Amino acid sequence: MKRMITLVATVATLTTATTAVGEVHDVMILDGEFFPQVTYLNEGDSVRFENVSGITHTIGSAGDEWATDPIEADDVVIVVFDEDKPREFYSKLITDDDGDLIIAGMVDFSPPSAEDDND
């Protein structure tokens, strides 16, 4: 009987213990935009920025709370997001005539709505 209880306790422990490993989501840096523009994440997930634009980009928040090193054409960089990091990101390379950043993307920690699924 003692062996059976130990076995049940061991199986219960193994089936309830999980290791939290975040997912990696791909975002392409294109000419003039990010694809996808909105990436849905869970806590601990990261974004893999792949530069397919042909020119070097630096990605970061508007207020410079975070930024990547320059990402050369055909290179990738991975950024880990948590709920404290600013969610909107921009290409620091391209601005409008007033100096405002115009190529924008964002991460969202809420589940996508049904409307987002149909787009």
Side-chain angles (χ1 to χ4, degrees):
M1 180 68 170
K2 189 174 181 180
R3 278 181 116 176
M4 180 59 84
I5 292 171
T6 302
L7 178 61
V8 170
T10 302
V11 170
T13 301
L14 291 174
T15 57
T16 59
T18 57
T19 303
V21 176
E23 290 185 46
V24 178
H25 304 266
D26 290 319
V27 172
M28 291 188 298
I29 306 166
L30 304 172
D31 292 327
E33 67 182 319
F34 293 105
F35 182 80
Q37 190 169 14
V38 178
T39 303
Y40 294 93
L41 305 179
N42 292 310
E43 183 72 26
D45 285 358
S46 47
V47 174
R48 179 182 178 265
F49 289 99
E50 181 179 4
N51 185 358
V52 296
S53 72
I55 58 174
T56 301
H57 285 268
T58 298
I59 309 301
S61 63
D64 291 326
E65 292 87 355
W66 68 272
T68 66
D69 289 332
I71 307 168
E72 301 291 330
D74 300 321
D75 274 352
V76 299
V77 67
I78 295 177
V79 177
V80 177
F81 280 86
D82 59 33
E83 294 194 19
D84 295 329
K85 185 175 278 193
R87 297 174 188 187
E88 291 186 335
F89 53 84
Y90 300 86
S91 170
K92 300 290 194 161
L93 175 70
I94 301 173
T95 60
D96 64 12
D97 292 337
D98 296 325
D100 295 324
L101 300 168
I102 56 174
I103 300 177
M106 71 175 293
V107 298
D108 194 335
F109 284 96
S110 60
S113 67
E115 227 174 70
D116 294 329
D117 290 341
N118 293 327
D119 288 345

